[in-house]
Amino acid sequence: MRTYHCFWLLFWAGQPHQSSSTPLSKRTSSFPEKEKVLVLSGNSRRDLHRSKRSWMWNQFFLLEEYTGTDYQYVGKLHSDQDKGDGSLKYILSGDGAGDLFIINENTGDIQATKRLDREEKPVYILRAQAINRRTGRPVEPESEFIIKIHDINDNEPMFTKDVYNASIPEMSDVGTFVVQVTATDADDPTYGNSAKVVYSILQGQPYFSVESETGIIKTALLNMDRENREQYQVVIQAKDMGGQMGGLSGTTTVNITLTDVNDNPPRFPQSTYQFRAPESTPPDSPVGRIKANDADVDENAEIEYSITEGDGYDMFGITTDKDTQEGIITVKKALDFENKNLYILKVEATNTHVDPRFLYLGPFKDSATVRIQVEDVDEPPVFSSPAYIMEVKEDVPINSVIGTVTAQDPDAAKNPVKYSVDRHTDMDRVFNINSGNGSIFTSKPLDRETLLWHNITVIAAEINNPKQSSRVPVFIKVLDVNDNAPEFAMFYETFVCENAKAEQLIQTLSAVDKDDSYSGHQFSFSLAPEAASSSNFTLQDNRDNTAGIFTRKTRYNRHEMSTYFLPVVISDNDYPIQSSTETVTIRVCACDHRGKMLSCNAEALIHPTGLSTGALIAILLCIIILLVTVVLFTALRRQRKKEPLIISKEDIRDNIVSYNDEGGGEEDTQAFDIGTLRNPEAIDDNKLRRDIVPETLFMPRRTATARDNTDVRDFINQRLKENDTDPTAPPYDSLATYAYEGNGSVAESLSSLESVTTDGDQDYDYLSDWGPRFKKLADMYGAMDSDKDS
């Protein structure tokens, strides 16, 4: 049922220009008319003084969420100037005026046209005014009043989150804080209990509880174990009206997870483990895996494994797989079935992160026994040493034994072994081995000076199973014996001056020996017996592995003897003593007064250091000249005329050579019979030439002879024309002139004798146009003209 509360409101007001107004009596709080009336005070024209104006009541109250079909009545405005004759009109302005709130301009009744929600807008401020209908002027000043919306409980509490997530460590004490939930109510907290929220737990007991006023959730049960249950879902209710009957409520869900603590020690699921490992298992290889179970997770479940005792403590090791938390047992040393075939280990598993709060639950470790059975495999032979070093003298006879290698089958069967040499390491087959007993002997002569060390590989294989083999390196050192005679350290070729004096040192000798000498080499030098008494030189041993050559006489004559060969005997002091005879070449040379060589009778002295720069240049020039000569000779050979068939001395033909023609040059020689020139009619057109080898079967073509023409010049011109048109003619033509000088050259005379009589200078520039053969001539006369001009 809806109840209307009506208030009488009195408002004193007056016009600004009037001095006084008649006050009205104050309305009581009774509601005889069941309506709200806001009375506006007016002015009395008889009073000339201003009276004090004030609000007795300036608020209207309206319930929210009105559900009636008619407009909701708000209140009434009334002015003391209203005489009831309809001369006044009431108007309304402000929040929602004309839309949400309307007023009857005649009566001043205010109504709400829509359903109002306090949560959207709790207060509306409006302004009221009364105006004269006729003049339109206000009879009262504009007055402000408030419409407040009374709250009703129409909003349930809302949690700030639909779902809360929280976690606490397992085994927590009772009353441990978990999480705080919060709910809000949109109703007016200052009006009644509509916004007073109370929390309660609907689901999650007896594990958790909630404080009714704060919403704090706490643990309510002791020793909650994650390993038994890890997830909990708690439902919390928030109810307004202080939790009383009829209040609105809302709920939320809280997911609570128990986090792990290290409250469980590792435990092996079995007390004994058994594994098998072949004896050929290489070190650091895994043998097996074991695992201790731990109900905890993450770092609380991390386990470290160790071998605490057992007869295989030094043979095996164990590591932890960080991903699976398994213990991996590995081999540390090579296994030997024949030596030991069973190992027993004690393995311990321990937590790496221990929580002191739960030590009372017992030791956080466990142990188990591991038995490892070693299996026998067929193994290759094993040498008694990983490598062998042997020594042998270089002069030992062939087939001499220098050492022995030994290998045995480590298996219980003890299969026999055969030996061989890996020929990839002994390509020259210098050594061989007895396949039965492993003795190594030489098969070729040895030479320490050629190769000091021989590194070979010996293979040992089982006779019954050759695939089972092993290899061992054998290092053989060749020991030195004194089998090499000493010799000069270099080739000695020296000189002696013609003006040398007696007992003058001309050369110092030194020697080397390919053999080793542990105490150092000691060489002795002497002249060969055949040169000791008759030599023109003497030798002095310096006793420091050197010797000096001295002159025996004063002055030498290179014309009498230009070269001396001095034999020198060099001996060592080792056993057996080795000696050799070396020759020193001594040349007699002319020297200056300071002893510097000037020249020798024979070829220039070649020093060991090499040729001089001048000698090298001379050799190079000789080579260049030789090459140029060969090239010129080859070119001349190509231009040589073919040999004539008739080379007899009885050939009486005259050979006339012309050197000034432009034919083939000096080699362009052509024989002519002078008798033919004098008797042109004797020419036989069908007669072949006898002076060259015929190269074609074509007959030479001849033109008719001019019988009446006895002029040699016409005859020669006719022959020239014949040769020009003859395809069988040689590749060059000869124009031989006999006793006929001709009409002269087009270029006239080039003689320098004639130039003396010339009145003016001649221009020889045209010589440059005649080709490369006249270039030199053009340069000569051109240079003379230049000198003449300068």
Side-chain angles (χ1 to χ4, degrees), residues 15-36:
Q15 296 294 340
H17 59 278
Q18 293 178 345
S19 61
S20 63
S21 64
T22 304
L24 299 177
S25 60
K26 183 174 77 171
R27 295 183 183 270
T28 64
S29 60
S30 59
F31 310 102
E33 298 178 359
K34 295 184 179 181
E35 64 177 356
K36 302 175 186 177

Side-chain angles (χ1 to χ4, degrees), residues 513-579:
D513 195 334
K514 295 180 180 179
D515 296 322
D516 278 339
S517 178
Y518 299 103
S519 59
H521 290 294
Q522 293 182 7
F523 302 125
S524 59
F525 299 85
S526 63
L527 292 178
E530 64 272 14
S533 59
S534 62
S535 176
N536 292 307
F537 302 92
T538 60
L539 181 70
Q540 178 180 336
D541 192 346
N542 298 326
R543 304 298 180 182
D544 59 354
N545 294 336
T546 63
I549 299 177
F550 294 86
T551 57
R552 174 174 284 183
K553 64 178 184 177
T554 302
R555 300 190 64 83
Y556 293 83
N557 191 338
R558 57 176 171 162
H559 300 288
E560 295 178 358
M561 189 70 173
S562 61
T563 303
Y564 295 91
F565 298 98
L566 187 66
V568 178
V569 178
I570 312 172
S571 303
D572 57 20
N573 64 340
D574 292 332
Y575 180 81
I577 295 176
Q578 300 287 340
S579 63

Side-chain angles (χ1 to χ4, degrees), residues 163-236:
V163 177
Y164 289 84
N165 294 302
S167 62
I168 57 169
E170 63 174 331
M171 310 299 289
S172 296
D173 297 333
V174 175
T176 301
F177 173 83
V178 179
V179 70
Q180 182 177 12
V181 296
T182 304
T184 58
D185 197 319
D187 294 325
D188 189 0
T190 64
Y191 181 73
N193 292 328
S194 298
K196 185 177 182 180
V197 179
V198 175
Y199 301 94
S200 61
I201 185 168
L202 300 182
Q203 177 183 322
Q205 294 175 333
Y207 306 104
F208 301 95
S209 63
V210 64
E211 292 183 357
S212 60
E213 295 183 357
T214 61
I216 296 176
I217 301 175
K218 298 181 180 179
T219 58
L221 190 64
L222 187 64
N223 296 332
M224 287 189 292
D225 193 357
R226 185 200 64 84
E227 287 71 34
N228 293 330
R229 183 177 178 182
E230 184 177 5
Q231 298 286 341
Y232 295 87
Q233 191 175 73
V234 179
V235 178
I236 303 297

